[in-house]
Amino acid sequence: MYYRSSNIVARIFERQICTPAPGTSVHHARRFYENLVPNYTVYEVECPDHSFRKFTDDGQYLISFSRNHQQLIVYRPRWLSFSCKDEDCDKHDLPSKSKRFESFFTQLYCVPLASSNELICKDFFLYMESNRFGLFATSTAQIHDAPAVGGAVQGVPSIEKITFHLLRDSGNLVDVRAIGEYCREDDELFLNSNSQVMALSDKNKQHQLPGHHIENHMHQSQPNLGNSFLSGIKQRLLSFIFQGLWNEERDDSLRVQGLRKKFYFHFQDYVDLIIWKVQFLDRQHLLIKFGSVDGGPQVSRNADHHPAFVAVYNMDTTEIISFYQNSADELYLLFEHFCDHFHATSRNSMYMNFISSHSNNIHALEQLRSIKDKASNSSQFVKKMLASLPISCQSQSPSPYFDQSLFRFDDKLISATDRHRQSTDHPIKFILRRHPYSLKFKIKPGPEAGSMDGRAKKISSFLFHPILPLALSVQQTMFLQASVVNIHFRR
């Protein structure tokens, strides 16, 4: 069959004479990326010393920050163009200007975001679905020994000020809802008015009592109203846990025993839980990760060794819908079979729906189950897999080269997930999933000749364009040396 051929001309001919089955046209079109791959690399590109963040999902913008995390620099990708007079231009080296970053990207603007005492949060950037607006954040430095006042938790680094910035013309942020201490819009009003009524009632009772009882009564009836209630979200959580244990048994005596062992014994542990991370599941539901102070995000490498819990919260009804420990098999099965429901995808970009996961791709599922079968401890495997929840928004690249139906690669070294990885001096190979199972291209994150100091610990990050055969690989050491930037593209 022509379409099975790896020849792109045969594929184009097949596309002209045959119509794909209904609902498969996008899948057929994406197979052309098996032929259109980055086949050339410009190593150690001359580029500004910036921290390159990501491409927007429409591919129009490359977001970067200045190295001092004070300025936002936005680029637009463009294709390298040059002329050649000879008949066989492929044999010639590229002109010297191709070594420059400006040959591939045009700077649109540079905007100062952070003030003198703030820094840009380099791991935070969200773009709206229209791509007209970008949301950034700046913050003051973390204070590790801050006093636990104003809602702060002892042992958790405190940030004095966080500022959100909405970039582009005619845009502003509107305070819609705050969730935590209060859950409903009128919770604060109700509690304040109720405390006033209670204070007035106590005052009236004092006038009715004999004089020698007033002093004792006043001493006993002045609770700290600010600390008399747990936060609204914590109240909802405790109520859900209590009701779940209550409904497990029908016999009253067994209920009391169960509550003593499973609720009251662990009551303070539940009260001491803090929110580690939150994500939107949809417009009504939040996925909230609770954990202890000791196992917070600042020690995320060992987060699977600390007890943690995941809850689904309905913002409209202000109810906890479900509550799981991070070792629950039920939660893992939901994550395995319905992984895509944990990702918030863009409705405007159809190709964002083709990001491979173990719930939509048989190859990714086989890889996951192979790791599961090799795991010596089932509980630790579940904790490790669920440590990624909640999943950061817009943290996965929609590049077709990460489509596991098209290419096979080592996901320990590179994947669609946006995060730094331990670097390797060996090229990362992308191999065809289908016949002839050949090597299509390589990505080498370091310098072309290899690192001079093999002992230095190096980390790599990869930025793939969502549509074009274009990628950036950035390698840096832990000693604040200049980064090595390579550009991989189709020549």
Side-chain angles (χ1 to χ4, degrees):
M1 184 176 180
Y2 283 113
Y3 204 84
R4 293 293 182 182
S5 172
S6 60
N7 185 287
I8 192 170
V9 177
R11 289 190 164 188
I12 294 174
F13 178 71
E14 175 71 12
R15 184 177 64 177
Q16 289 179 325
I17 63 174
C18 294
T19 301
T24 64
S25 58
V26 177
H27 292 279
H28 278 71
R30 287 173 65 85
R31 289 179 183 170
F32 278 87
Y33 282 103
E34 294 176 345
N35 295 84
L36 304 173
V37 299
N39 61 358
Y40 194 87
T41 299
V42 178
Y43 290 97
E44 300 181 70
V45 176
E46 298 176 9
C47 67
D49 189 20
H50 293 162
S51 175
F52 297 103
R53 180 67 184 88
K54 68 191 301 185
F55 287 101
T56 54
D57 66 357
D58 62 353
Q60 294 295 312
Y61 306 101
L62 172 64
I63 307 300
S64 65
F65 305 128
S66 60
R67 186 61 67 181
N68 62 1
H69 296 106
Q70 296 283 315
Q71 296 173 314
L72 162 71
I73 304 100
V74 178
Y75 294 93
R76 173 155 288 163
R78 66 173 182 175
W79 209 249
L80 178 66
S81 62
F82 63 96
S83 61
C84 178
K85 297 181 180 179
D86 296 336
E87 293 183 359
D88 191 358
C89 296
D90 291 337
K91 294 182 179 179
H92 290 269
D93 291 334
L94 294 178
S96 58
K97 73 173 186 178
S98 66
K99 287 274 188 180
R100 301 173 185 170
F101 184 81
E102 293 77 14
S103 299
F104 294 86
F105 298 93
T106 302
Q107 181 176 321
L108 296 182
Y109 49 81
C110 176
V111 179
L113 284 186
S115 60
S116 58
N117 65 334
E118 293 186 46
L119 298 174
I120 296 175
C121 302
K122 62 179 181 178
D123 295 325
F124 180 86
F125 161 54
L126 296 176
Y127 42 86
M128 305 300 110
E129 292 184 348
S130 63
N131 288 317
R132 288 183 55 214
F133 304 102
L135 186 62
F136 302 87
T138 59
S139 71
T140 54
Q142 289 186 354
I143 304 173
H144 291 271
D145 54 351
V149 294
V153 179
Q154 189 69 42
V156 176
S158 176
I159 298 177
E160 181 182 357
K161 180 183 178 183
I162 299 177
T163 307
F164 291 98
H165 304 262
L166 189 66
L167 196 70
R168 304 284 183 266
D169 297 332
S170 67
N172 61 338
L173 294 173
V174 178
D175 187 3
V176 177
R177 181 181 300 179
I179 298 173
E181 186 175 2
Y182 308 108
C183 293
R184 296 187 185 274
E185 294 179 357
D186 60 347
D187 277 358
E188 185 175 9
L189 176 63
F190 173 79
L191 291 175
N192 289 338
S193 60
N194 185 61
S195 63
Q196 293 175 3
V197 171
M198 291 177 62
L200 181 61
S201 175
D202 291 341
K203 186 176 182 181
N204 292 336
K205 289 180 180 179
Q206 292 169 16
H207 288 293
Q208 297 172 5
L209 293 173
H212 63 278
H213 286 285
I214 293 178
E215 184 177 352
N216 291 338
H217 183 77
M218 288 180 64
H219 178 74
Q220 295 172 4
S221 64
Q222 286 189 342
N224 187 350
L225 296 176
N227 297 326
S228 59
F229 291 101
L230 294 172
S231 65
I233 194 76
K234 193 65 66 66
Q235 291 276 8
R236 303 301 197 276
L237 177 60
L238 292 172
S239 297
F240 179 84
I241 298 172
F242 182 92
Q243 291 175 355
L245 295 173
W246 179 271
N247 295 330
E248 282 184 0
E249 298 288 349
R250 294 186 177 182
D251 184 83
D252 288 343
S253 61
L254 294 178
R255 276 176 173 170
V256 172
Q257 293 179 12
L259 288 172
R260 285 177 178 172
K261 293 179 180 179
K262 300 179 181 179
F263 184 73
Y264 294 112
F265 183 78
H266 297 286
F267 181 82
Q268 192 59 45
D269 296 328
Y270 292 136
V271 170
D272 292 339
L273 290 176
I274 62 173
I275 293 178
W276 285 356
K277 197 174 180 182
V278 184
Q279 100 175 79
F280 280 98
L281 293 177
D282 53 37
R283 296 182 67 91
Q284 290 81 32
H285 296 90
L286 297 176
L287 187 67
I288 306 176
K289 189 169 190 176
F290 292 94
S292 64
V293 174
D294 297 332
Q298 63 270 18
V299 288
S300 56
R301 285 186 178 179
N302 300 319
D304 56 321
H305 297 296
H306 296 272
F309 303 87
V310 177
V312 177
Y313 174 75
N314 188 313
M315 294 184 291
D316 292 341
T317 64
T318 71
E319 293 178 344
I320 299 289
I321 304 300
S322 58
F323 184 66
Y324 302 96
Q325 193 164 355
N326 65 335
S327 59
D329 290 332
E330 183 181 357
L331 179 61
Y332 169 76
L333 290 176
L334 289 173
F335 179 66
E336 180 178 308
H337 295 296
F338 306 103
C339 179
D340 295 339
H341 292 267
F342 292 89
H343 294 269
T345 57
S346 172
R347 291 177 293 179
N348 288 1
S349 303
M350 181 175 59
Y351 49 85
M352 291 292 289
N353 297 322
F354 290 87
I355 296 176
S356 297
S357 72
H358 43 261
S359 61
N360 65 28
N361 187 283
I362 185 62
H363 305 290
L365 180 61
E366 289 177 352
Q367 192 174 41
L368 174 69
R369 290 182 173 170
S370 174
I371 298 173
K372 183 179 179 180
D373 294 338
K374 294 177 181 177
S376 58
N377 189 311
S378 176
S379 177
Q380 287 298 322
F381 168 79
V382 170
K383 286 184 179 181
K384 186 174 183 180
M385 292 305 303
L386 297 180
S388 61
L389 296 178
I391 298 174
S392 299
C393 183
Q394 299 178 351
S395 62
Q396 291 195 307
S397 170
S399 170
Y401 304 109
F402 292 125
D403 188 339
Q404 297 199 41
S405 298
L406 302 177
F407 298 97
R408 178 166 56 87
F409 48 86
D410 188 346
D411 66 345
K412 299 186 187 69
L413 303 177
I414 193 171
S415 75
T417 304
D418 175 25
R419 65 181 178 88
H420 294 289
R421 298 170 184 273
Q422 186 172 349
S423 187
T424 174
D425 291 332
H426 303 288
I428 301 171
K429 300 178 180 179
F430 287 75
I431 301 171
L432 280 180
R433 279 286 184 189
R434 303 190 304 153
H435 186 78
Y437 313 108
S438 57
L439 172 67
K440 293 302 296 184
F441 69 100
K442 301 176 183 179
I443 294 289
K444 190 175 187 298
E448 184 175 16
S451 174
M452 296 297 293
D453 185 5
R455 298 170 297 176
K457 187 175 182 180
K458 301 177 288 290
I459 56 175
S460 299
S461 58
F462 304 92
L463 288 79
F464 275 68
H465 194 278
I467 305 170
L468 301 175
L470 173 68
L472 272 70
S473 61
V474 183
Q475 185 187 75
Q476 52 192 352
T477 64
M478 305 300 290
F479 302 104
L480 301 179
Q481 298 175 354
S483 301
V484 175
V485 179
N486 305 326
I487 296 181
H488 314 269
F489 66 104
R490 181 170 181 81
R491 180 174 171 176

